[in-house]
């Protein structure tokens, strides 16, 4: 059984979904969610919302949550690599491809990044174009810019 609950944050309404053991999805707004998810605030969802708000206030740099993104083996490899990008820093798609030993897979990295089901907790917002430009983000470029600015502001605190 999946549970989902919606929280109002400084970046808008966020839906967090879990499978009773781990966080499986994070959504911007209510328009998306698993069809089998029940609106039910569990202790795991409360804790994830608490940690998300701490992060958005600049008081948390690392999340301590069980995560269970569903994807292909390649996508999972990419998402695990994203978890190694330090708070306040960015990597290019090429950096991520190199990080998994597939230097020429930048387009595939972009596709996997785009499919990240647990935004923010798996920090795909820390991936930028090779020229440093902000490209693509499910929450919108303005949210991506906000998250990166926030992290740069609090990185050395």
């Amino acid at each position: 059984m999946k549970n989902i609950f919606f929280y109002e944050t400084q970046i808008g309404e966020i839906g967090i979904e879990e499978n009773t053991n781990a966080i499986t999805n994070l959504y911007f707004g209510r328009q998306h969610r698993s069809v089998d998810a029940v609106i039910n605030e569990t202790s795991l969802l409360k804790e994830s919302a608490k940690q998300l708000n701490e992060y958005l206030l600049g008081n948390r740099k690392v999340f301590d949550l069980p995560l269970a993104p569903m994807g292909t083996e390649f996508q999972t490899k990419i998402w695990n690599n994203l978890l190694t990008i330090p708070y306040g820093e960015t990597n290019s798609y090429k950096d991520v491809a190199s990080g998994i030993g597939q230097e020429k897979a930048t387009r595939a990295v972009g596709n996997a990044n785009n499919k990240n089901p647990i935004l923010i907790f798996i920090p795909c917002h820390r991936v930028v174009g090779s020229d440093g430009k902000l490209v693509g983000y499910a929450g919108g470029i303005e949210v991506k810019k906000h998250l990166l600015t926030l992290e740069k502001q609090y990185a050395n605190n």
Side-chain angles (χ1 to χ4, degrees), residues 8-27:
E8 193 56 46
T9 73
Q10 63 178 260
I11 57 172
E13 188 176 49
I14 299 287
I16 305 173
E17 192 172 278
E18 53 95 40
N19 65 5
T20 70
N21 299 314
I23 302 301
T24 59
N25 297 83
L26 185 144
Y27 305 103

Side-chain angles (χ1 to χ4, degrees), residues 43 121 156:
S43 58
F121 296 136
N156 297 317

Side-chain angles (χ1 to χ4, degrees), residues 96-128:
V96 175
S98 294
I100 63 160
Q102 296 186 23
E103 294 78 18
K104 297 183 190 238
T106 54
R107 188 175 301 266
V109 165
N111 288 334
N113 208 46
N114 182 48
K115 301 271 192 255
N116 173 14
I118 313 176
L119 305 166
I120 305 173
F121 296 136
I122 298 176
C124 57
H125 61 277
R126 294 181 188 153
V127 182
V128 298

Side-chain angles (χ1 to χ4, degrees), residues 5 21 23 31-32 40 43 75 81 91 144 152 157:
F5 206 76
N21 299 314
I23 302 301
Q31 69 273 21
H32 305 289
N40 178 35
S43 58
Q75 289 169 333
N81 184 274
N91 278 0
K144 183 172 185 165
K152 285 193 190 311
N157 291 348

Side-chain angles (χ1 to χ4, degrees), residues 15 18 40 44 61 68 78 87 115 117 132 135 142 147 157:
E18 53 95 40
N40 178 35
L44 177 57
K61 295 181 173 113
I78 297 302
Y87 179 95
K115 301 271 192 255
V135 291
E142 286 305 310
L147 296 175
N157 291 348

